[in-house]
Amino acid sequence: MATVVQAIRLALHVGEQRLGVTDVFGQDVGPPLGGVFTQSQGLQTAWNSPLDERGIVGTAIGLALAGQRPVAEIQFCDYAFNMIDLLKLAGGICWSSAGDWNCPMVLMTPVGSGIRGSIYHSHSFDAQATRIAGWKIVMPSNPLDAYGLMLSAIADPNPVMFLAPKALMRSKALANERIPGEPDDERLLSKMIDAPLGDRSRWRPDWPDVRDFFVPIGKARICREGRHVSLVTYGRTVPIAVQAADQLAAEGIETEVIDLRSLSPYDWDTVKQSVRKTNRVLYLNEDTDVTNFGEHLLRRTIEELFYELYAPPRLLAGAHVPGIGLADALERASVPQLEHVAAALRELARHEV
């Protein structure tokens, strides 16, 4: 079964074969490395750019306005903060031209902690991304969603930011999350599309005949049904949420876990229906807890569902610190862990009106 990074690579291949992708580029995106996470190995349209984030985004905007369909990569989201003005420019093109101009570009970048990346390779970017109007923002938590969201991002006529959780890049699909058409044998898939170590100059991938599968941007996924408390999350914290819900089920607490998958637009209808069922909600992510995207969801919950709540809605997020420490203990103290999620759910579920 494919990993998240293999799913992204397969989607990019489908994009250049069937959806009109003309360029996949960024630092070390082309041969011989094929991306720092190997997500662009073997692609026909992949090429290496200078180490210049503003240049990468500016080039993508220019290509898109010239009728091309680029997929640009910022190697780590930690280096995206110096190009906010260009992201605002790209997001405003369709709106400011009254729909006369589109900007069909995808910007993909790895986000979050979990790889012991320390201060310059562990940032989140979801709060910053959702503040930039005009962009669609997606973040997968499993290989099938990574594949389907990337295809939807490529097909969209305007800019889409594809945030890929670093810690999940090598995670494998569950049995019900297989990409349509991928080989049954994961070793065969690796042999077909993973470049060998050493000299790659003569290597060519043998792409499997995967089929189109589009995950609609703006549609959440219910990972686990529950009736006592709702847990709304996305990205790296989705597997943690499911694990915590399974743990609490043994205590008689049934948690409904929702994977938003898309932060802009987001599926408020699914969230609202779940909160109305459970009357309790925990919002979970690993970005810093000051001006967090979860705070927006919490505010909307209070405004629209206040009289249906049995307990104050909660946000569990990362510590408001300048960066993530390199030591394992420091990283674990900076972002929510399984025990924190379980404790927050337990407290919410037992809160009496």
Side-chain angles (χ1 to χ4, degrees):
M1 290 174 279
T3 62
V4 167
V5 74
Q6 288 174 327
I8 293 172
R9 195 185 313 150
L10 288 168
L12 292 173
H13 168 68
V14 171
E16 63 182 8
Q17 292 295 307
R18 302 200 288 267
L19 300 177
V21 168
T22 55
D23 300 86
V24 179
F25 67 99
Q27 181 191 355
D28 295 324
V29 165
L33 186 60
V36 68
F37 289 97
T38 73
Q39 71 284 348
S40 50
Q41 286 181 348
L43 298 176
Q44 294 178 353
T45 61
W47 51 275
N48 295 310
S49 75
L51 201 172
D52 175 15
E53 289 80 20
R54 291 177 59 82
I56 291 169
V57 175
T59 299
I61 294 172
L63 287 168
L65 291 176
Q68 307 301 299
R69 193 170 285 271
V71 178
E73 183 190 69
I74 302 302
Q75 193 172 69
F76 288 90
C77 79
D78 311 65
Y79 306 121
F81 293 86
N82 69 343
M83 59 188 196
I84 297 296
D85 56 334
L86 289 172
L87 297 180
K88 289 179 66 177
L89 175 65
I93 287 172
C94 181
W95 183 86
S96 60
S97 68
D100 288 343
W101 288 87
N102 296 108
C103 187
M105 61 176 282
V106 177
L107 183 67
M108 60 180 180
T109 186
V111 297
S113 64
I115 63 167
R116 309 299 181 263
S118 192
I119 193 167
Y120 288 117
H121 297 85
S122 298
H123 281 99
S124 295
F125 198 67
D126 34 302
Q128 281 79 9
T130 55
R131 294 188 192 110
I132 305 172
W135 281 82
K136 293 183 176 71
I137 315 293
V138 299
M139 188 186 301
S141 66
N142 62 75
L144 182 59
D145 282 351
Y147 180 79
L149 287 170
M150 179 60 81
L151 292 190
S152 293
I154 291 169
D156 198 278
N158 280 299
V160 180
M161 204 175 300
F162 186 96
L163 307 180
K166 304 180 189 103
L168 300 183
M169 286 294 204
R170 306 300 174 193
S171 62
K172 296 180 181 179
L174 301 176
N176 61 342
E177 298 172 347
R178 297 173 63 87
I179 296 169
E182 71 167 285
D184 293 334
D185 187 344
E186 62 189 60
R187 292 170 297 181
L188 175 59
L189 177 63
S190 178
K191 185 177 180 180
M192 294 173 73
I193 69 171
D194 291 341
L197 299 176
D199 182 16
R200 301 173 178 177
S201 59
R202 297 185 179 181
W203 173 78
R204 297 292 182 274
D206 178 18
W207 297 104
D209 186 21
V210 290
R211 297 186 292 277
D212 290 352
F213 178 82
F214 294 87
V215 172
I217 296 176
K219 182 62 179 174
R221 176 175 68 102
I222 298 178
C223 306
R224 191 183 192 282
E225 298 278 354
R227 57 193 177 90
H228 295 128
V229 60
S230 300
L231 198 170
V232 182
T233 186
Y234 49 85
R236 175 181 177 255
T237 48
V238 171
I240 298 172
V242 173
Q243 189 176 356
D246 290 343
Q247 178 178 312
L248 264 66
E251 304 174 20
I253 300 171
E254 292 295 336
T255 304
E256 183 148 291
V257 179
I258 296 173
D259 178 1
L260 282 181
R261 301 196 291 194
S262 173
L263 306 185
S264 180
Y266 62 90
D267 189 352
W268 178 244
D269 286 341
T270 294
V271 174
K272 184 164 58 175
Q273 290 171 13
S274 179
V275 175
R276 281 178 168 162
K277 178 171 65 172
T278 67
N279 309 107
R280 298 173 171 88
V281 61
L282 172 68
Y283 295 108
L284 168 68
N285 63 67
E286 61 175 335
D287 206 347
T288 57
D289 63 2
V290 176
T291 63
N292 185 287
F293 177 64
E295 292 180 329
H296 162 72
L297 298 173
L298 198 151
R299 185 267 300 169
R300 190 167 183 184
T301 301
I302 293 172
E303 288 184 353
E304 298 185 26
L305 302 169
F306 180 81
Y307 292 105
E308 300 180 57
L309 295 172
Y310 291 173
R314 284 198 54 184
L315 169 67
L316 180 59
H320 190 57
V321 293
I324 304 294
L326 179 61
D328 180 68
L330 292 176
E331 180 173 280
R332 290 180 59 83
S334 300
V335 294
Q337 303 297 322
L338 174 62
E339 58 270 24
H340 306 140
V341 180
L345 288 172
R346 192 177 291 113
E347 181 180 339
L348 266 176
R350 292 175 177 170
H351 190 283
E352 297 295 335
V353 181

